[in-house]
Amino acid sequence: MPLDRLPTVMIEPLVRAALLEDFGRAGDLTSDAIVPADLVVRARLTARRPGVIAGLDIAALAFRLLDEKVALSCEHVDGDRIAPGQIIGIVQGPARAILGAERTALNFLCRLSGIASATASIVEAVRGGKARIVCTRKTTPGLRAVEKYAVRAGGGANHRFGLDDAVLIKDNHIAIAGSVRAAIERARARIGHLVKIEVEVDTLRQLEEVLSVGADAILLDNMTLDQLRQAVIMVAGRAVTEASGRITAETAPAIAATGVDLISAGWLTHSAPALDIGLDF
Amino acid sequence: MPLDRLPTVMIEPLVRAALLEDFGRAGDLTSDAIVPADLVVRARLTARRPGVIAGLDIAALAFRLLDEKVALSCEHVDGDRIAPGQIIGIVQGPARAILGAERTALNFLCRLSGIASATASIVEAVRGGKARIVCTRKTTPGLRAVEKYAVRAGGGANHRFGLDDAVLIKDNHIAIAGSVRAAIERARARIGHLVKIEVEVDTLRQLEEVLSVGADAILLDNMTLDQLRQAVIMVAGRAVTEASGRITAETAPAIAATGVDLISAGWLTHSAPALDIGLDF
Amino acid sequence: MPLDRLPTVMIEPLVRAALLEDFGRAGDLTSDAIVPADLVVRARLTARRPGVIAGLDIAALAFRLLDEKVALSCEHVDGDRIAPGQIIGIVQGPARAILGAERTALNFLCRLSGIASATASIVEAVRGGKARIVCTRKTTPGLRAVEKYAVRAGGGANHRFGLDDAVLIKDNHIAIAGSVRAAIERARARIGHLVKIEVEVDTLRQLEEVLSVGADAILLDNMTLDQLRQAVIMVAGRAVTEASGRITAETAPAIAATGVDLISAGWLTHSAPALDIGLDF
Amino acid sequence: MPLDRLPTVMIEPLVRAALLEDFGRAGDLTSDAIVPADLVVRARLTARRPGVIAGLDIAALAFRLLDEKVALSCEHVDGDRIAPGQIIGIVQGPARAILGAERTALNFLCRLSGIASATASIVEAVRGGKARIVCTRKTTPGLRAVEKYAVRAGGGANHRFGLDDAVLIKDNHIAIAGSVRAAIERARARIGHLVKIEVEVDTLRQLEEVLSVGADAILLDNMTLDQLRQAVIMVAGRAVTEASGRITAETAPAIAATGVDLISAGWLTHSAPALDIGLDF
Amino acid sequence: MPLDRLPTVMIEPLVRAALLEDFGRAGDLTSDAIVPADLVVRARLTARRPGVIAGLDIAALAFRLLDEKVALSCEHVDGDRIAPGQIIGIVQGPARAILGAERTALNFLCRLSGIASATASIVEAVRGGKARIVCTRKTTPGLRAVEKYAVRAGGGANHRFGLDDAVLIKDNHIAIAGSVRAAIERARARIGHLVKIEVEVDTLRQLEEVLSVGADAILLDNMTLDQLRQAVIMVAGRAVTEASGRITAETAPAIAATGVDLISAGWLTHSAPALDIGLDF
Amino acid sequence: MPLDRLPTVMIEPLVRAALLEDFGRAGDLTSDAIVPADLVVRARLTARRPGVIAGLDIAALAFRLLDEKVALSCEHVDGDRIAPGQIIGIVQGPARAILGAERTALNFLCRLSGIASATASIVEAVRGGKARIVCTRKTTPGLRAVEKYAVRAGGGANHRFGLDDAVLIKDNHIAIAGSVRAAIERARARIGHLVKIEVEVDTLRQLEEVLSVGADAILLDNMTLDQLRQAVIMVAGRAVTEASGRITAETAPAIAATGVDLISAGWLTHSAPALDIGLDF
């Protein structure tokens, strides 16, 4: 399943803002002072750790926006698994622009590759089963579109992109509505025909109540493996089942084995360590 | 040493953009459908893990920008160490606005508190010595000012904020200049009188060369403890010494014991896991 | 079913931009020249035609952003049906600010009320049946969120808000995929678990093919009443049915009587005439 | 009289914002899932109704900004009258980009062509006479520059572009000033030498008063044909005369025949139905 | 003739941008380090040179946007003539915010007061005559609205605000059109009824040609006093006459004595020295 | 010492905003009416006064952003000294775009060249000595980066770019801290290792106090030549010395002769007259 590129129009504002954040009001003092304006160089983008790459278009755009004479030619595409020391791409062009955009390009690339790698580690842990790994809305403010893209690059799928593309009924909503049934019915009465409803439950009793009303998906939050197994049996295909809570590459296989459709992990976007990628001249 | 607040004018654009990113074009479908518009509630902001808090002003602004009737009254201030279960603050106001801004507020608060907590863990590991913990430019695109703030909240200090507020001569600059001496001299000839120069060295031989020319600070990159000790002796107070490479709470004490002035760690901003903070009604 | 307000954070950028567009570089030449700065007046917002009102919060914000001393106190709320001559609200404050923001406030209010009124005219035409009236993505560039809101104010429901919140497979997609089945299967394989799929069909044969593969909703485009009736029978509740093409208050009742769930009309947002509302001192 | 293009720098921000509004955070789910990334197609832009075209540069920019490999080659230029079924232009390039930008391009093109067509219908109704058709400030918030351009494309002329490029004294201003004379005199005393003054009058008595003070233009609001005829005689070329109120292609010829210089109609921009233009593969 | 305030909505974006430009990514290092967060002070805004003040609302907004607890209470209003040492206003509030916004507030205030003062110096030089002093489009990029406002504060009037609010036919346009007549006629055929035409001439022969065709205003560029006198006689009130070129307080009275209506000077906005205003604690 | 270009990404937002400010909502009325759309011309950029040029990249970008077919080929580079009548560059392309962008291009070019020329006049006055000429933060709001660049083009050096790239302790800070020593110590305790501290002193007694604590630079404000000489002796190379107050080309040589390292002048950026540069067809 090939990965779809994000159109430039979606990433350009982020990259421009990031370059300006790093250049401030005086620009790259070090390179301007030391590097001749006409020096052209070639540098290798190399992974220092194994992982899955994401963000090459963004990195390329960072270099190109600083100086259109810089080109990044990639040996890999987003979603590729990279071994340490492996060359990801070659940047060629004026040395000043390469040094000036280096940190911006790498800040995007390392973060997004970190997310892709974290996602891939869990995706691989459950390979062979039907469970898909999904992210949450716990993303970095301003970077949701690209972080969700990185999850896809790692082989994961995306949960909601915002408060407005699906209904997710949580404990507080249920408490306010008075019951699971009331919450679901209020939602159903209001939403558009292309909006799905997911309900979060903590107990099998709550699950039962959801099933009696119906929902498109059910988030089984912090359940034991036993509870998950039983939940899957109770749901019996009438809704998508999603398990969440303490998901790691170690815990995921057992959770996947319970038969849930989705395993969601907030840390993929809020806490995945950056992948160490460097630029070597 | 009290922590200085970031003025609202600096954080408001970030918070507005984050709210809009989450609200998209249709707003909070779930709360709009389920929560009465006039319901006023009270919720507790609680840490689920121990850590150091950062970002309370930002969280408060997220709630207030969504609805000025929401108020966050804090029992703590940024920089405070929090135990699991401890209440950080109380949010009070219209339930819809609290639910609508919850994720935006927490995405900032958890990330920044994660950075503050990671910083504090190393700061505490070296407590008693003179070494200060500093961050790098490996920050999230768009969030540098607030992530650097979070490092301060954790007791750390800040390195450069951008390419334009100090000179940092790295291996590539030295290679292009031809020698350490040439690089430093070119920089000195060009920069303003309030700009400092730091030079990155990998070997003691390079260090010697830097010392013969002079620099404000010297980044001792990936050196062994022995090398660091020797470097500190060689520098003899003529420059600020900064150690970097593989810094953790475990390795930091020994590095601090070598006598270096600063210990810098990129992962504080690019890979610190978010602190788990929740909002409970 | 009460109408949910759009949060200020979503409408403020639109209103600021609109005020600046009208004020240009020199401001309100006429009022500045003629109206004393300290004159306070009272003006009535009055409908000149019958219709349904939408956009009062936006109008109020336009006045308030120009001068916080201007207040709009409304006798009605968005979604109310208004008779000609009926007073919608009273604006009170400095005359200059009222005159300066008048056109901006009315441009929003008349357009959105026009959309609400057009929607309501069809909603009323099909009242009593189950069919809901929905809008499309044929909205004014930049105003989608508020125009979709106006549709809700008129009693309608919203279709997709963008290319990214649901799948809508049209003839070109089917042609490219090679068949309805291939198109749906490709979509299903790629999308998230909270994304629904709607398929547009022109013929009952195509409908049959969709039903054999399954879809959440089916857009019956430009079908005759007979075809629609038969389509509803064929679908038999397995998908939401949506009729589109030449929808007016005259044609809608017969279409609704075919049993379709939804009737969609692009003209509600792209061609509804503005409602004539005036501000009288 | 050829039509002048709007420079790209003026339309690009509108087009970028519109594309982002439609792409949201996840992009074009349908085309990404179904359409191969490397598929290149050719599509025809065709009018489905007769009318006058406006907005081709904007449509072309929408395609190009999404993917610079998409080209729109036009068989017509803005201002051309188009028959139903007539091909306006050919779009060629990657299918995904064409499908992704289609709605954005058409939303601009159909709206602007609707305005141009409405304008042209009245322009043609009064052809042969001296009266020119003009628009007002009743434009869509954010789109004033392009909607005024569309009026020109339809053969009309533009009234004020904002509150700041001419003085227009209305009833409220006169009431505040105390008299027509006082209002005009206050304005004259304050404005720059390149600013014209227009005064709105409802009665011939008011007209007389304006004429005794002098003005560059006089807006004869909602007058009968008899009143208009008499007004034109009274003005006797000393000011530009503008008739407004209930202007349609049916009423315009008689109004034009009264001898007024201008006929203004707010509905050209606030209520003209979009022209139905489609993109066929 | 009282001076009209610019609405906050027009100046706020400028002030926010200026504060952010000065605060950069780390804020006010000096005050944060030295000034207690809760220290409240009082400072006097004092002119160090005689002049005319302009920009007090902008200065007040700079302080208020940084901290809403800062208030600027003014003893003067824009347009007032100030003697050296005279107190213009009192700023009261948190010391940090006053020090942090000081430079931003003063950069606006000193520049705009410089423009107002330069304008006033010429206005006073020609006092008693009918000639008005006007500015040009030679303004600082981004500040046109506020610089034109400063000219008004100094007692001057405004020329065009942009390329789009009047026609100004210069030598290049005439050369391209082939003749003065052709240029004026082309303009007249295209422009709206509220747009005036001014023509620039260098010689009396050109002036004659303009008069034979007619224009609203005539710019007499770099003419001698004799030529100006003769030009005024030739025009005989049929157009507004504007003299330009080398205008100073010394040359202006004689130019005014020639009978021209307007004297325009680009240097009022592009080269007026800032007025020295300080903030003293 | 060659001058470093500002990257396009830093200047493009300024140039786009300036073009839009001049084009307003209706564009270049005059050229659109008079100049044929396909007319291509050639114009010379010529200095009318002697000076030093700065801003050629910005001017070129203004033309190119309006129409990519316009090219500015320069005979000079920023920093070059130009004699009156000397051709700086040739602009070639569509006449409309050249006329449309002319004022925007010149407004930047004349202002920045004015700053460069003013700087150069003082730089030349002190040529041969070691004193460098530096600017301040008294820049035009929004233009700090380009105005500081213009100072460099004139041979000057830059002082702080904002409140956040160095500490500058002034009289108010000292008063608040209680003493020079307290102020410096508080600053030192808070700032990063790459941040320098400068202290402003009015008297030699204050200077003594600063020297006893230590500082990177000392601003000797408004001192007599005798005081400056003595100050330089007292400092004895332990800090950078900066003289400020009433700096002109006339006073600078004597000040430079006192041995100070830097001479700073706020007027270079806030009051330097624009350099008169014209565009001739």
PDB file of all heavy atoms in Angstrom, chain E residues 163-182:
ATOM      1  N   LEU E 163      -2.061  52.754  -5.306  1.00  0.00           N
ATOM      2  CA  LEU E 163      -2.218  52.828  -6.754  1.00  0.00           C
ATOM      3  C   LEU E 163      -3.676  52.765  -7.167  1.00  0.00           C
ATOM      4  O   LEU E 163      -4.010  52.963  -8.331  1.00  0.00           O
ATOM      5  CB  LEU E 163      -1.476  51.654  -7.399  1.00  0.00           C
ATOM      6  CG  LEU E 163       0.046  51.718  -7.327  1.00  0.00           C
ATOM      7  CD1 LEU E 163       0.639  50.347  -7.584  1.00  0.00           C
ATOM      8  CD2 LEU E 163       0.551  52.725  -8.355  1.00  0.00           C
ATOM      9  N   ASP E 164      -4.541  52.465  -6.232  1.00  0.00           N
ATOM     10  CA  ASP E 164      -5.907  52.102  -6.597  1.00  0.00           C
ATOM     11  C   ASP E 164      -6.979  53.089  -6.163  1.00  0.00           C
ATOM     12  O   ASP E 164      -8.160  52.811  -6.347  1.00  0.00           O
ATOM     13  CB  ASP E 164      -6.245  50.723  -6.022  1.00  0.00           C
ATOM     14  CG  ASP E 164      -6.321  50.742  -4.505  1.00  0.00           C
ATOM     15  OD1 ASP E 164      -5.584  51.543  -3.873  1.00  0.00           O
ATOM     16  OD2 ASP E 164      -7.108  49.973  -3.947  1.00  0.00           O
ATOM     17  N   ASP E 165      -6.617  54.221  -5.577  1.00  0.00           N
ATOM     18  CA  ASP E 165      -7.700  55.118  -5.161  1.00  0.00           C
ATOM     19  C   ASP E 165      -7.774  56.418  -5.967  1.00  0.00           C
ATOM     20  O   ASP E 165      -8.618  57.269  -5.677  1.00  0.00           O
ATOM     21  CB  ASP E 165      -7.664  55.387  -3.647  1.00  0.00           C
ATOM     22  CG  ASP E 165      -6.349  55.977  -3.161  1.00  0.00           C
ATOM     23  OD1 ASP E 165      -5.385  55.959  -3.940  1.00  0.00           O
ATOM     24  OD2 ASP E 165      -6.298  56.451  -2.016  1.00  0.00           O
ATOM     25  N   ALA E 166      -6.915  56.557  -6.949  1.00  0.00           N
ATOM     26  CA  ALA E 166      -7.000  57.693  -7.864  1.00  0.00           C
ATOM     27  C   ALA E 166      -6.042  57.412  -9.010  1.00  0.00           C
ATOM     28  O   ALA E 166      -5.158  56.558  -8.903  1.00  0.00           O
ATOM     29  CB  ALA E 166      -6.626  58.996  -7.166  1.00  0.00           C
ATOM     30  N   VAL E 167      -6.241  58.123 -10.101  1.00  0.00           N
ATOM     31  CA  VAL E 167      -5.323  58.006 -11.238  1.00  0.00           C
ATOM     32  C   VAL E 167      -4.316  59.143 -11.144  1.00  0.00           C
ATOM     33  O   VAL E 167      -4.685  60.286 -10.898  1.00  0.00           O
ATOM     34  CB  VAL E 167      -6.104  58.090 -12.559  1.00  0.00           C
ATOM     35  CG1 VAL E 167      -5.167  58.336 -13.746  1.00  0.00           C
ATOM     36  CG2 VAL E 167      -6.901  56.807 -12.767  1.00  0.00           C
ATOM     37  N   LEU E 168      -3.049  58.795 -11.277  1.00  0.00           N
ATOM     38  CA  LEU E 168      -2.006  59.823 -11.352  1.00  0.00           C
ATOM     39  C   LEU E 168      -1.163  59.515 -12.591  1.00  0.00           C
ATOM     40  O   LEU E 168      -0.399  58.546 -12.611  1.00  0.00           O
ATOM     41  CB  LEU E 168      -1.158  59.833 -10.080  1.00  0.00           C
ATOM     42  CG  LEU E 168      -0.025  60.866 -10.032  1.00  0.00           C
ATOM     43  CD1 LEU E 168      -0.469  62.241 -10.498  1.00  0.00           C
ATOM     44  CD2 LEU E 168       0.530  60.976  -8.616  1.00  0.00           C
ATOM     45  N   ILE E 169      -1.351  60.346 -13.582  1.00  0.00           N
ATOM     46  CA  ILE E 169      -0.675  60.131 -14.865  1.00  0.00           C
ATOM     47  C   ILE E 169       0.667  60.848 -14.839  1.00  0.00           C
ATOM     48  O   ILE E 169       0.726  62.059 -14.656  1.00  0.00           O
ATOM     49  CB  ILE E 169      -1.546  60.653 -16.022  1.00  0.00           C
ATOM     50  CG1 ILE E 169      -2.884  59.890 -16.042  1.00  0.00           C
ATOM     51  CG2 ILE E 169      -0.819  60.548 -17.351  1.00  0.00           C
ATOM     52  CD1 ILE E 169      -3.876  60.412 -17.068  1.00  0.00           C
ATOM     53  N   LYS E 170       1.740  60.052 -14.978  1.00  0.00           N
ATOM     54  CA  LYS E 170       3.084  60.629 -14.944  1.00  0.00           C
ATOM     55  C   LYS E 170       3.732  60.581 -16.323  1.00  0.00           C
ATOM     56  O   LYS E 170       3.145  60.076 -17.283  1.00  0.00           O
ATOM     57  CB  LYS E 170       3.938  59.854 -13.945  1.00  0.00           C
ATOM     58  CG  LYS E 170       3.376  59.901 -12.530  1.00  0.00           C
ATOM     59  CD  LYS E 170       4.405  59.431 -11.548  1.00  0.00           C
ATOM     60  CE  LYS E 170       3.802  59.459 -10.141  1.00  0.00           C
ATOM     61  NZ  LYS E 170       4.750  58.975  -9.142  1.00  0.00           N
ATOM     62  N   ASP E 171       4.947  61.099 -16.386  1.00  0.00           N
ATOM     63  CA  ASP E 171       5.678  61.180 -17.654  1.00  0.00           C
ATOM     64  C   ASP E 171       5.726  59.849 -18.399  1.00  0.00           C
ATOM     65  O   ASP E 171       5.490  59.796 -19.606  1.00  0.00           O
ATOM     66  CB  ASP E 171       7.092  61.727 -17.414  1.00  0.00           C
ATOM     67  CG  ASP E 171       7.811  61.036 -16.265  1.00  0.00           C
ATOM     68  OD1 ASP E 171       7.207  60.169 -15.608  1.00  0.00           O
ATOM     69  OD2 ASP E 171       8.976  61.359 -16.019  1.00  0.00           O
ATOM     70  N   ASN E 172       5.991  58.760 -17.684  1.00  0.00           N
ATOM     71  CA  ASN E 172       6.080  57.479 -18.367  1.00  0.00           C
ATOM     72  C   ASN E 172       4.751  57.070 -18.992  1.00  0.00           C
ATOM     73  O   ASN E 172       4.717  56.505 -20.087  1.00  0.00           O
ATOM     74  CB  ASN E 172       6.537  56.388 -17.397  1.00  0.00           C
ATOM     75  CG  ASN E 172       7.994  56.573 -16.993  1.00  0.00           C
ATOM     76  OD1 ASN E 172       8.809  57.011 -17.799  1.00  0.00           O
ATOM     77  ND2 ASN E 172       8.310  56.268 -15.743  1.00  0.00           N
ATOM     78  N   HIS E 173       3.665  57.338 -18.275  1.00  0.00           N
ATOM     79  CA  HIS E 173       2.353  57.004 -18.840  1.00  0.00           C
ATOM     80  C   HIS E 173       2.102  57.831 -20.097  1.00  0.00           C
ATOM     81  O   HIS E 173       1.557  57.332 -21.092  1.00  0.00           O
ATOM     82  CB  HIS E 173       1.242  57.292 -17.818  1.00  0.00           C
ATOM     83  CG  HIS E 173       1.362  56.504 -16.564  1.00  0.00           C
ATOM     84  ND1 HIS E 173       1.725  57.058 -15.365  1.00  0.00           N
ATOM     85  CD2 HIS E 173       1.183  55.180 -16.310  1.00  0.00           C
ATOM     86  CE1 HIS E 173       1.754  56.120 -14.432  1.00  0.00           C
ATOM     87  NE2 HIS E 173       1.429  54.974 -14.976  1.00  0.00           N
ATOM     88  N   ILE E 174       2.458  59.096 -20.044  1.00  0.00           N
ATOM     89  CA  ILE E 174       2.236  59.963 -21.198  1.00  0.00           C
ATOM     90  C   ILE E 174       3.070  59.490 -22.381  1.00  0.00           C
ATOM     91  O   ILE E 174       2.590  59.383 -23.514  1.00  0.00           O
ATOM     92  CB  ILE E 174       2.559  61.432 -20.828  1.00  0.00           C
ATOM     93  CG1 ILE E 174       1.549  61.918 -19.769  1.00  0.00           C
ATOM     94  CG2 ILE E 174       2.538  62.325 -22.071  1.00  0.00           C
ATOM     95  CD1 ILE E 174       1.900  63.267 -19.146  1.00  0.00           C
ATOM     96  N   ALA E 175       4.320  59.152 -22.093  1.00  0.00           N
ATOM     97  CA  ALA E 175       5.190  58.664 -23.164  1.00  0.00           C
ATOM     98  C   ALA E 175       4.595  57.412 -23.807  1.00  0.00           C
ATOM     99  O   ALA E 175       4.569  57.257 -25.034  1.00  0.00           O
ATOM    100  CB  ALA E 175       6.581  58.376 -22.603  1.00  0.00           C
ATOM    101  N   ILE E 176       4.093  56.514 -22.968  1.00  0.00           N
ATOM    102  CA  ILE E 176       3.531  55.272 -23.508  1.00  0.00           C
ATOM    103  C   ILE E 176       2.248  55.548 -24.295  1.00  0.00           C
ATOM    104  O   ILE E 176       2.014  54.961 -25.362  1.00  0.00           O
ATOM    105  CB  ILE E 176       3.249  54.287 -22.348  1.00  0.00           C
ATOM    106  CG1 ILE E 176       4.580  53.736 -21.819  1.00  0.00           C
ATOM    107  CG2 ILE E 176       2.330  53.168 -22.792  1.00  0.00           C
ATOM    108  CD1 ILE E 176       4.477  52.967 -20.520  1.00  0.00           C
ATOM    109  N   ALA E 177       1.429  56.442 -23.793  1.00  0.00           N
ATOM    110  CA  ALA E 177       0.160  56.732 -24.478  1.00  0.00           C
ATOM    111  C   ALA E 177       0.397  57.517 -25.765  1.00  0.00           C
ATOM    112  O   ALA E 177      -0.412  57.488 -26.688  1.00  0.00           O
ATOM    113  CB  ALA E 177      -0.760  57.518 -23.545  1.00  0.00           C
ATOM    114  N   GLY E 178       1.490  58.233 -25.803  1.00  0.00           N
ATOM    115  CA  GLY E 178       1.784  59.000 -27.013  1.00  0.00           C
ATOM    116  C   GLY E 178       1.543  60.491 -26.838  1.00  0.00           C
ATOM    117  O   GLY E 178       2.176  61.314 -27.487  1.00  0.00           O
ATOM    118  N   SER E 179       0.599  60.824 -25.980  1.00  0.00           N
ATOM    119  CA  SER E 179       0.315  62.236 -25.731  1.00  0.00           C
ATOM    120  C   SER E 179      -0.458  62.365 -24.424  1.00  0.00           C
ATOM    121  O   SER E 179      -1.036  61.388 -23.934  1.00  0.00           O
ATOM    122  CB  SER E 179      -0.532  62.825 -26.865  1.00  0.00           C
ATOM    123  OG  SER E 179      -1.851  62.310 -26.793  1.00  0.00           O
ATOM    124  N   VAL E 180      -0.450  63.567 -23.886  1.00  0.00           N
ATOM    125  CA  VAL E 180      -1.220  63.846 -22.683  1.00  0.00           C
ATOM    126  C   VAL E 180      -2.693  63.533 -22.932  1.00  0.00           C
ATOM    127  O   VAL E 180      -3.368  62.889 -22.124  1.00  0.00           O
ATOM    128  CB  VAL E 180      -1.042  65.319 -22.266  1.00  0.00           C
ATOM    129  CG1 VAL E 180      -2.129  65.750 -21.309  1.00  0.00           C
ATOM    130  CG2 VAL E 180       0.335  65.545 -21.660  1.00  0.00           C
ATOM    131  N   ARG E 181      -3.171  63.972 -24.082  1.00  0.00           N
ATOM    132  CA  ARG E 181      -4.583  63.757 -24.397  1.00  0.00           C
ATOM    133  C   ARG E 181      -4.930  62.268 -24.411  1.00  0.00           C
ATOM    134  O   ARG E 181      -5.904  61.840 -23.804  1.00  0.00           O
ATOM    135  CB  ARG E 181      -4.922  64.393 -25.752  1.00  0.00           C
ATOM    136  CG  ARG E 181      -6.333  64.037 -26.261  1.00  0.00           C
ATOM    137  CD  ARG E 181      -6.684  64.762 -27.560  1.00  0.00           C
ATOM    138  NE  ARG E 181      -6.694  66.196 -27.359  1.00  0.00           N
ATOM    139  CZ  ARG E 181      -7.737  66.888 -26.919  1.00  0.00           C
ATOM    140  NH1 ARG E 181      -8.868  66.269 -26.623  1.00  0.00           N
ATOM    141  NH2 ARG E 181      -7.665  68.182 -26.765  1.00  0.00           N
ATOM    142  N   ALA E 182      -4.114  61.527 -25.112  1.00  0.00           N
ATOM    143  CA  ALA E 182      -4.391  60.097 -25.215  1.00  0.00           C
ATOM    144  C   ALA E 182      -4.391  59.444 -23.830  1.00  0.00           C
ATOM    145  O   ALA E 182      -5.241  58.604 -23.513  1.00  0.00           O
ATOM    146  CB  ALA E 182      -3.360  59.423 -26.119  1.00  0.00           C
TER     147      ALA E 182
END
